[in-house]
Amino acid sequence: MISSGTFNLSNKFKLISLILFSLTLNINTLFHDYALDDIVVLTENKFVKEGIKGIPKILQTDYIAGYSSEANILAGARYRPLSLISFALEYQFFGANPMISHVINIILFTLLILLLYKLFDSHLFPKREDSLVFFTVLLFIAHPVHTEVIANVKSRDEILVFLFSIGAFLLSFRYLETKRPAFLVLSLAAFLLALLTKETALTIILTLPLVIYFFSKNSVSGSIRHTIPYLLVFSAYMLLRYAVVGFAEYPVNDVTNSPYLYASPMEAFATKVFVIIKYISLCIFPLHLSTEYGYNQIPYVGISNAKFIISAIIIFLLILIAIISFKKRSLISFSILFFFATLSIGTNFLFDLGAPMAERILFQPSLAFCLLLALFIIKVREFSRATSTTVLFITLILFSAKTIARNQEWKNNETLFLIDVKTSPNSARINLYACEQYIIKANKSEDLKLRNEFLDKAEEYAKRSLEIHNKFAYTYLRLGLVYFHKGNYTSAADEWMTAYRLEPKNPETIKWTSYLSDVLVGEASKNMYKGNIQEAIIQYEKSIDLNPKNEHAILSLQKILEEKKDSVDRGN
């Protein structure tokens, strides 16, 4: 056991300190706009925007059905109605109000902190380890890797899943202590709510027996037996999920949504192992944070690559340490096993997540790191109290400064993408996002010179995106839009036709090719009026290439060609 020394602040003071600390670090997000995937779950989700009336549709459809009619843009079906219902209720009463959305996220995170402290203080650690509880939760609040979950409204699902998970743990311990079935029923209900929020709640099946074994007098077999009712609830959830969205694995042909599409099986395995170490390094050194780690920010590695070999050795040693100290119910063993258990869903080993890694995946696993760090700080106290206190305060100051700074970068899409494109310069998607922001800036600018500079930057990022991934239809669409705004309709047509060939069913490609087809008809008519017959012919042909059903272009071109033929015949 670990002694807390003279650290004896009252629980009331600690809870107030934790609440104030959490609010201080995250209050700057209240003035932020919506960003990144918030359009998917709120601002452009047609079911969510129906408010309460949209809830039945949310319960009966795939997670992204309200945003996109194409459910197969991701590899597998997703059934996450509860988080969408929270947004539908929010929209019903407040509309699309980003401040309200951020307030709710902060409130939920603060509630999570309180429940986490309650679980640790009441069930996991004896009173004489009180400082371990306080330090762990302090470090968890401050850790910069959580900024995406709190600052990104869409990631409310991560907070809710962890909140319900902690609730399930608390109620499970109450059941073990009292043997009252009501507590077990409530714990199972919390687990079901977590599953209906996001599939990552599945890890409770792994973490619950771990928590029970390490922090109660139950044996391994007894801890596993206690999990059986949760397996039954999970089975019921899977039946419900199958009835609504099935288990189909859609063929995804875009590497930005299927990160290992171009990798061999061995490359995929080796890279996934390497990504686990990248997750661990982000826990230790959360310096260069990004919204995007997709193709090709993390290049594939082979099994002979030093990155894989070193990663595999580190993971093996960590698991070995956990196994060796397992029977002693060591906190080190628990932390390692909890980290890997909660990370398991985010490794892409079980199913394709659509991205090689994401910082939100670390929301739960990072708790294990914070516990280990707190354990280290308390161990140092045995040798030097001053050193221990210094390490704690320096860590909290560095973490807090980074968290506040990173929160500011989530202010809106412009600040987020234009910063992250420098952090993840080899990501095709983030270069595309930067291109889009410069197009928006160009459209807002009334200064012609500045407008052209913005369009040049947009073109630069679009071309960089295509250097990384030359089959990215969305980038061709945006590059075409850049050329369109520059008045270069021929180049715009070429880019949009390329996008159409890559994704002929994409609504955007259909929209823009049809639109430009009509624009070129107008330009061709102007050239006809000026007597530029050959230029008009080229534009009518381009118009027909873009939209073979454009009758105006077809008839006009036929008329020109017939007149030219008649003219040649008369000349003969």
Side-chain angles (χ1 to χ4, degrees), residues 121-134:
D121 186 58
S122 301
H123 300 289
L124 302 197
F125 304 107
K127 289 294 182 181
R128 64 176 178 270
E129 294 179 354
D130 203 31
S131 57
L132 180 63
V133 175
F134 188 58

Side-chain angles (χ1 to χ4, degrees), residues 98 133 268 289 404 423 459 561:
V133 175
L289 301 178
I404 293 171
T423 307
E459 182 179 354
L561 295 177

Side-chain angles (χ1 to χ4, degrees), residues 277-288:
I277 297 302
K278 287 189 70 68
Y279 275 127
I280 293 173
S281 67
L282 266 184
C283 282
I284 303 170
F285 304 108
L287 299 175
H288 305 293

